[in-house]
Amino acid sequence: MKKPWFERPFSFHLAAEDFPLILERVRGTPARLEQRLAGLSREVRTRRRAEAWSIQENAGHLSDLEPLWLGRVADVLEGREVMRPADLTNRKTHQAGHNERPVAEVLEEFRRRRGEFVSRLEGLDEAQVLEGARHPRLEQTMRILDLAFFVAEHDDHHLATITELLRG
């Protein structure tokens, strides 16, 4: 059983040469997400269990956070001491109505937004990748390298949640 996201501890000890590997994980999430949702009926994709998000809402949530990731890169590059905070209530996802949208639209939006994030990361040099700022919830310095790892871990957390929902 996976640990709830907000209970996960993070320790960042990655080296600059790890960045290309992490970037490939981040780049590959749209394809992995599309593969997981391929062939699922609307009923299966949008089924909620108790108050938990549906499969399609988990997919939409990944897209909802892309502006935060891009903003945090900007925060670091602008020399801010602390990265912008996330909305820990996930209001955007709760209000988005992802289950009412066509799944192709949800997936395409995520692919487009993630493409912007990946392009931004690809344009950085090694010195920029190693710049950092304090993460507001974790209360530790997070370099852009670490942010990319954090995003990859967040992606995998939601892909694992989707797998759990499929298994029932």
Side-chain angles (χ1 to χ4, degrees):
M1 192 52 127
K2 69 182 182 354
K3 186 177 275 198
W5 179 254
F6 290 128
E7 294 177 18
R8 287 198 50 194
F10 286 91
S11 178
F12 303 115
H13 303 289
L14 299 164
E17 54 266 14
D18 296 320
F19 186 67
L21 304 173
I22 296 164
L23 189 55
E24 285 306 317
R25 280 180 66 193
V26 170
R27 182 192 330 274
T29 301
R32 292 189 297 145
L33 184 63
E34 290 163 5
Q35 186 274 330
R36 292 304 286 146
L37 274 63
L40 298 180
S41 70
R42 183 181 188 292
E43 177 186 346
V44 169
R45 286 191 325 270
T46 61
R47 180 182 312 129
R48 295 186 96 199
R49 292 188 177 92
E51 296 301 312
W53 289 333
S54 69
I55 289 170
Q56 191 159 312
E57 288 168 320
N58 274 275
H61 173 69
L62 292 176
S63 181
D64 292 340
L65 288 184
E66 290 303 299
L68 174 66
W69 308 143
L70 272 172
R72 286 181 170 174
V73 170
D75 292 342
V76 171
L77 296 176
E78 291 168 7
R80 296 182 188 222
E81 290 183 31
V82 179
M83 293 175 174
R84 66 193 64 195
D87 172 11
L88 301 182
T89 68
N90 291 305
R91 182 173 27 116
K92 186 173 184 178
T93 301
H94 288 292
Q95 295 176 347
H98 291 303
N99 280 343
E100 287 72 47
R101 298 171 61 199
V103 67
E105 182 181 295
V106 173
L107 294 171
E108 177 53 36
E109 178 182 74
F110 177 56
R111 181 173 283 284
R112 180 183 49 77
R113 287 179 170 176
R114 178 52 60 90
E116 292 170 13
F117 181 61
V118 168
S119 291
R120 183 69 179 113
L121 294 178
E122 287 177 326
L124 301 177
D125 62 33
E126 184 174 321
Q128 290 172 312
V129 167
L130 296 176
E131 290 179 31
R134 194 151 190 77
H135 185 282
R137 179 176 61 83
L138 299 177
E139 297 184 1
Q140 61 182 308
T141 299
M142 181 183 278
R143 302 166 298 169
I144 291 176
L145 166 65
D146 305 319
L147 173 63
F149 174 74
F150 187 81
V151 170
E153 289 292 297
H154 183 263
D155 291 349
D156 288 351
H157 174 85
H158 285 281
L159 287 166
T161 298
I162 288 168
T163 298
E164 288 173 356
L165 288 168
L166 285 170
R167 290 184 178 155

